Amino acid sequence: MSGRSIVFALAASIAVVLVGALANEASVVVVGLLSSLAAGILLAIKTDDTTQPMGQILFADES
């Protein structure tokens, strides 16, 4: 997964949590939180290299 797709997946997961909270649906909130956790773990693995700024690592053009 590229850095951009991880960030977009995290943003979508947070949106799912907010929609579930507004709709008072606990199952939607749980699914959103679990997908946010997965995206966060992928993000931590992707940005393991601390010699470069995080923005440069995540949004670098990957071919």
Side-chain angles (χ1 to χ4, degrees), residues 10 13 31-43:
L10 184 59
S13 300
V31 167
L33 288 174
L34 290 176
S35 59
S36 295
L37 177 67
I41 290 172
L42 289 174
L43 191 62

Side-chain angles (χ1 to χ4, degrees), residues 47-54 56-57:
T47 58
D48 190 32
D49 180 18
T50 58
T51 60
Q52 299 175 356
M54 186 180 290
Q56 187 178 15
I57 294 170

